[in-house]
Amino acid sequence: MSNDTELSRIGISLPKNLLDKFDEILSLRGYSSRSEGIRDSIRSYITYYQWISDVKGERQGVITMVYDHDQRGLLETLTEIQHEYVNVIQASIHSHITHSRCLEVILLRGDGAVLKDITERLMSQKGVEAVKLTTIPIGE
Ligand code: NI
């Protein structure tokens, strides 16, 4: 039997700056332990994945993406991916956060499965820090 009270212990390796940022947020939010923060993060990750898996049918959506402008070849790859979906991507806005980080907001309309595919392809590129898809169903 497996449930929330049965605990498994894991060891993970993380880049120091990632852990520092995580600890900073935990302290701001008043978490008593790192384990509790990691449990919450994993729950959010699972919820987000399940939620994104439920995106079906005709949808209007927005992808918000943050990435490292200095990552070699990344800009070209992101542009190529977007060009493959000319019929789905309606517009995009690019904003330069800092000298090396960019924020891009992409407006889409199309089948939920396609919107999800685009999101996952963008997400899997090296140098992409965060990608979030928000959609609403198109109803009459
Ligand atoms: Ni930029």
Side-chain angles (χ1 to χ4, degrees):
M1 199 174 101
S2 162
N3 56 42
D4 256 14
T5 57
E6 188 185 325
L7 298 176
S8 301
R9 184 171 285 272
I10 57 163
I12 51 172
S13 305
L14 295 171
K16 193 184 178 304
N17 64 347
L18 185 64
L19 189 59
D20 287 347
K21 277 185 206 164
F22 187 69
D23 284 343
E24 198 183 309
I25 294 169
L26 291 185
S27 134
L28 286 171
R29 300 195 63 197
Y31 275 81
S32 54
S33 76
R34 203 182 251 166
S35 288
E36 190 49 41
I38 290 170
R39 281 194 285 273
D40 268 8
S41 304
I42 293 174
R43 282 187 203 108
S44 300
Y45 182 86
I46 291 169
T47 304
Y48 179 69
Y49 185 79
Q50 286 170 337
W51 181 77
I52 206 178
S53 302
D54 280 344
V55 175
K56 291 184 190 98
E58 190 72 3
R59 296 254 168 177
Q60 181 78 47
V62 177
I63 289 174
T64 311
M65 170 167 70
V66 176
Y67 61 89
D68 177 5
H69 174 102
D70 293 334
Q71 178 70 46
R72 184 182 289 268
L74 181 59
L75 268 171
E76 290 81 355
T77 307
L78 296 177
T79 305
E80 273 166 31
I81 293 171
Q82 293 188 49
H83 275 269
E84 282 179 45
Y85 299 93
V86 281
N87 298 322
V88 176
I89 294 176
Q90 301 179 309
S92 69
I93 302 168
H94 184 114
S95 170
H96 315 296
I97 307 170
T98 62
H99 201 74
S100 61
R101 288 171 91 212
C102 301
L103 167 71
E104 205 157 306
V105 178
I106 305 165
L107 187 67
L108 324 92
R109 188 184 178 113
D111 186 75
V114 176
L115 269 49
K116 207 180 84 182
D117 284 349
I118 298 171
T119 306
E120 281 175 356
R121 282 187 65 190
L122 295 171
M123 214 181 266
S124 66
Q125 303 305 315
K126 190 166 194 278
V128 173
E129 283 176 42
V131 181
K132 185 162 189 181
L133 170 67
T134 309
T135 72
I136 50 162
I138 300 165
E140 291 310 313

